[in-house]
Amino acid sequence: PGFGGSGRFAVAPGREVAALFQVAGGQAGKWRTPWYLSGHEDWIGGRPTPFLPGPAKWTLVLKPAA
């Protein structure tokens, strides 16, 4: 209970579509973000997350200061 793996992934070359990826605390390492612990229930339940990204949900645009 006090120690364990922090991530899991399995990828077969050429079969990336079937690959699996999991991060225990979610991909956001900051506890203040809304995505912190996203996917944690899947980690606990052993439910796989797709390795390849899906469609973009957000866009970040960086503009130089005037």
Side-chain angles (χ1 to χ4, degrees):
F3 177 79
S6 61
R8 305 175 181 142
F9 73 96
V11 181
R15 298 191 56 210
E16 291 84 4
V17 172
L20 311 173
F21 172 74
Q22 290 181 317
V23 178
Q27 294 184 44
K30 299 276 187 182
W31 63 272
R32 290 182 164 209
T33 68
W35 302 281
Y36 187 70
L37 293 181
S38 66
H40 186 68
E41 289 299 319
D42 289 337
W43 170 271
I44 291 171
R47 290 179 295 278
T49 301
F51 185 72
L52 296 178
K57 294 181 181 179
W58 299 277
T59 301
L60 176 64
V61 179
L62 303 175
K63 295 183 180 182

